[in-house]
Amino acid sequence: MTSASTTPREKTTTIRGLVGRIMVLSLTLVAAIYLVPLLIAYRMWLWLAVVVIATGAMFLLYSTRRFVPAKYLFPGTFFLTVFLIIPILLTIQTSFTNFGDGYRGTKEEAITSITNNSMVRTEDSPTYGLSVATDGDVNKGPFSLFLVNPQTKEVLRGSDGKKLEKVDASTVTVDNGVVTKAEGYTILSPRQINTAYEGISTMSVPFTDKTTVKVQGVRTAFEGTKRMVYNESSDTITNTVTGDVYSIKKVGLSEHFVNAKGESLAQSWKQNVGLANYSRLFTEGNLASQFLKAFAWTIIFALGSVLLTFGLGFFLALTLNDDRIKGKKLYRSFLLLPYAVPGFISLLVWSNFYNQDFGLINRMLHLSIPWLSDPTMAKVAVLLTNTWMGFPYMFIVCTGALQSISGDVKEAAKMDGASGMQATWRIITPLLLVAVAPLLVSTFAFNFNNFNAIQLLTEGGPFPAGEYTRGGTDILISMVYRIAFGRAGSDFGFASAVSVVLFAVTGVLAALQFRATKKLEDVN
C-alpha cells in the first residue's frame, strides 16, 4: 500500500521537474538567440563570451541528472561573475585608458564628429522636410534620407556616401512636407529615429561635390559645407576657412589633432595610456595632496562611525539587558525607529536640521553653528548623523550577543569578587567581541565606501574657493564620483584608477582587521 501511494507522487514530481527544466532551458535559449546578434553587432565580445558559456553550461548541467552539486553552484557563480568579477575587470581595464568626455569613441568616430560638427549652413539653403527610411532593420539600418524641398516639392533620396538623387513622385507619398511612404522602404517613426540617432547623425550624405546634408532633429535637414575636412592619405584635418592643417600629436596623456600653432581640436578618442592615471594620482601635486587628505578623512570617518555606533549600541544594549528594567520591549522598539526609516530620508531630513539659519538644532538651542559651511563642523555633523543611523544596527547585534552569553558566567564573576564594571569590561566585552568582531570589520568596510551619507548630507562640501575635486567632507568614493561626473567633465579613466586603488586599500584594511580579530578566538 505504501509503495502504491508513493509511486504516483514520484512520477508527478519527475514530470514537474522535467517540465521545469524544459521551460528554463527554453527561456535560456530564447534569451541567447536574442542577445547574441545584438552583442555581435555592438562588438561586445566579453559579454558575448559570457552569454555563450552560460548558455552552454545551462544545457550541460540541467539537461541531465548528473552534476548535481554543480546545479546548485552554477547560479551563484554566474551572478558573482556577472555582477562582481566582470565589473571589477572592466574597471581595471578602463583605468589604463583616457576614457572620458572628449575621449569616448574610436579615432574614426572622433574624425566623423569633428567634421560633422564643423558643418556651416549653405547660403540660401531651404529647410528640407526629412524622413529617415530603411530597407533593412529599423535599429541597425542601412538608412536612407528622404528630403522634400518646401519650395519646389521635389523629393530627394540619399544614403551614407551616396549623393542625393531625385525620386519619382509616384513611388512616394508626401504629407505635411515629409515623405510618409516609399516603395521598398520602411519610414522610421520619431521614436525609432531617436533610438538609432547615433548612427543616423554620423551619416555623410553628399548634396553636391562640396556640400552635404546636415540632419537637424528628426524632421528637418539643410544643405551645409564642412569647414573641417579629413585627408585619409596624410591622416590630417584641414580647416577650409583658415587653411590650418591639423596633424596627430600627443597632448598630455592623449593624441589630438594639432595645428602648427600648437592649437588642438577638443575632440579626441579613447586610447590606452598605461599607468599614467595611477602616476597622476600619486605624483601630480594637487591631486596627490587631495587624495591623501581624502584618504585620511575616510579612515577617520569609517573608524569613527564604527566606534561611535558600536559604543552607543553596546551601551544601550547593556543597559536594557538588565533584568531590573521594566518595559524593555517598548524601549527597544523605540530605539529601532531610526533603523526603520529609509536612509536617504534620514539624511535629507538631517541636512535640513543642520541649516544654520532655519535648522531645528540651531533654533532649539538658540545657536548659530555653521554646521554645513565650516569644514570641521561639517565633519562633526556627518559623524553625528551616521551615528544616529547606525547605532540601532549595533544595538540589535549587541543585544543578541549579550543574550547568548550564559548567566553562569556573570555569577562566576560575582563569586570571584568582580564588580559589575569589572565583569562587564573583562568578561562580557571580550566574549561579545568574539561574536561581533566580523560585523565591525564589515561595518568599517561599508563606511569606508559610504557614498550616500556624504552625498545626500553635504554633497562633499563645503568646498574651498575654486576647488571642485575634493570638498571638506569628501571621502574617497565621493571624490571618485566627482572626478567621474564632476563639473570639469567626466574622466572615467582616472576615476577607475582611483577606484582600483580604493578597492585594494579596502581589501588590505579588511584583511588586517580580520587578522587582528583572530586573537579574540583565544577568549573561548
Side-chain angles (χ1 to χ4, degrees):
M1 185 173 179
T2 304
S3 176
S5 61
T6 303
T7 303
R9 190 177 302 163
E10 290 178 350
K11 288 183 178 179
T12 303
T13 303
T14 303
I15 292 173
R16 287 178 180 175
L18 179 62
V19 171
R21 284 199 299 271
I22 292 174
M23 290 181 64
V24 170
L25 293 177
S26 299
L27 291 173
T28 302
L29 184 61
V30 169
I33 292 173
Y34 173 76
L35 290 173
V36 166
L38 289 177
L39 295 173
I40 293 175
Y42 288 104
R43 299 184 178 182
M44 302 176 72
W45 309 121
L46 176 61
W47 291 109
L48 176 64
V50 170
V51 170
V52 171
I53 293 172
T55 303
M58 287 285 290
F59 276 87
L60 176 65
L61 295 176
Y62 297 102
S63 61
T64 177
R65 292 184 178 181
R66 296 180 297 170
F67 313 118
V68 174
K71 285 182 171 68
Y72 292 95
L73 291 173
F74 175 75
T77 304
F78 172 75
F79 287 112
L80 176 69
T81 302
V82 170
F83 293 111
L84 184 63
I85 296 176
I86 290 180
I88 290 174
L89 294 177
L90 291 176
T91 301
I92 294 173
Q93 180 189 35
T94 304
S95 71
F96 294 105
T97 70
N98 63 346
F99 185 44
D101 283 351
Y103 307 94
R104 291 177 181 266
T106 63
K107 180 182 176 182
E108 291 73 20
E109 290 171 339
I111 292 170
T112 302
S113 176
I114 291 169
T115 55
N116 284 350
N117 289 334
S118 69
M119 187 84 70
V120 177
R121 187 167 185 155
T122 303
E123 190 176 353
D124 298 329
S125 169
T127 299
Y128 291 85
L130 170 69
S131 295
V132 181
T134 181
D135 55 0
D137 187 89
V138 294
N139 294 318
K140 296 183 291 185
F143 299 107
S144 296
L145 304 183
F146 283 86
L147 304 183
V148 179
N149 190 317
Q151 299 168 356
T152 64
K153 308 303 179 184
E154 184 180 50
V155 180
L156 305 172
R157 181 187 65 226
S159 56
D160 194 18
K162 294 184 179 180
K163 189 182 295 186
L164 287 171
E165 58 184 9
K166 189 175 180 179
V167 177
D168 186 350
S170 63
T171 62
V172 296
T173 301
V174 178
D175 187 17
N176 291 327
V178 295
V179 173
T180 56
K181 290 183 181 179
E183 289 184 7
Y185 290 91
T186 300
I187 304 297
L188 274 65
S189 66
R191 177 176 292 183
Q192 291 170 330
I193 294 174
N194 283 328
T195 302
Y197 192 76
E198 185 176 350
I200 296 169
S201 61
T202 58
M203 291 174 60
S204 179
V205 182
F207 224 112
T208 65
D209 292 336
K210 295 183 178 180
T211 62
T212 56
V213 176
K214 174 64 175 176
V215 175
Q216 192 177 38
V218 297
R219 281 291 178 250
T220 59
F222 61 81
E223 180 182 1
T225 304
K226 293 180 179 179
R227 290 182 299 174
M228 297 291 188
V229 178
Y230 176 66
N231 188 319
E232 188 174 356
S233 60
S234 61
D235 199 17
T236 59
I237 292 178
T238 302
N239 188 323
T240 57
V241 177
T242 64
D244 288 340
V245 178
Y246 294 81
S247 58
I248 296 177
K249 293 181 181 178
K250 194 165 186 178
V251 179
L253 302 179
S254 309
E255 292 181 335
H256 286 256
F257 282 100
V258 184
N259 64 11
K261 302 174 186 176
E263 299 170 342
S264 61
L265 299 177
Q267 183 70 40
S268 184
W269 54 94
K270 184 179 177 182
Q271 304 158 43
N272 290 324
V273 295
L275 297 172
N277 286 321
Y278 295 94
S279 177
R280 280 180 63 195
L281 179 60
F282 295 108
T283 61
E284 195 171 307
N286 185 52
L287 276 175
S289 172
Q290 298 293 355
F291 176 80
L292 290 175
K293 290 178 181 178
F295 176 71
W297 163 237
T298 303
I299 295 291
I300 294 171
F301 169 71
L303 188 60
S305 295
V306 172
L307 293 177
L308 289 172
T309 54
F310 174 71
L312 182 57
F314 178 44
F315 171 75
L316 293 172
L318 195 64
T319 302
L320 293 179
N321 199 48
D322 194 324
D323 294 333
R324 294 171 295 178
I325 296 179
K326 305 298 182 182
K328 290 189 290 185
K329 291 183 179 180
L330 181 63
Y331 292 138
R332 285 170 177 164
S333 299
F334 279 123
L335 290 174
L336 294 179
L337 286 178
Y339 200 50
V341 179
F344 76 95
I345 293 179
S346 294
L347 289 165
L348 293 176
V349 170
W350 274 94
S351 67
N352 287 314
F353 285 171
Y354 289 126
N355 186 285
Q356 184 174 353
D357 299 318
F358 308 106
L360 179 66
I361 297 175
N362 281 351
R363 293 188 68 179
M364 287 184 64
L365 301 178
H366 303 288
L367 299 172
S368 183
I369 300 174
W371 290 104
L372 301 181
S373 57
D374 178 76
T376 302
M377 295 310 301
K379 289 181 173 68
V380 172
V382 168
L383 284 172
L384 287 176
T385 306
N386 213 33
T387 301
W388 164 263
M389 295 176 60
F391 88 85
Y393 171 73
M394 290 298 180
F395 171 70
I396 295 172
V397 170
C398 291
T399 298
L402 287 172
Q403 291 178 350
S404 68
I405 297 175
S406 173
D408 296 339
V409 175
K410 302 175 186 177
E411 291 297 328
K414 287 183 180 179
M415 292 178 63
D416 288 340
S419 65
M421 183 63 70
Q422 289 175 327
T424 300
W425 181 251
R426 296 182 178 274
I427 299 175
I428 302 299
T429 301
L431 289 173
L432 179 134
L433 286 175
V434 173
V436 303
L439 297 176
L440 295 179
V441 173
S442 64
T443 302
F444 177 87
F446 170 78
N447 283 296
F448 199 87
N449 295 298
N450 194 348
F451 174 78
N452 287 345
I454 303 299
Q455 186 65 21
L456 293 177
L457 188 64
T458 66
E459 295 185 353
F463 292 90
E467 176 59 57
Y468 300 108
T469 302
R470 186 192 71 88
T473 57
D474 262 327
I475 58 176
L476 286 175
I477 190 65
S478 59
M479 179 180 168
V480 170
Y481 172 81
R482 190 159 292 102
I483 292 170
F485 306 101
R487 303 179 188 179
S490 302
D491 191 349
F492 301 121
F494 182 64
S496 296
V498 180
S499 298
V500 171
V501 173
L502 181 57
F503 174 76
V505 169
T506 306
V508 170
L509 290 175
L512 292 174
Q513 289 170 334
F514 275 120
R515 185 175 181 180
T517 57
K518 285 185 177 180
K519 297 178 181 179
L520 295 172
E521 295 177 1
D522 297 334
V523 174
N524 288 331

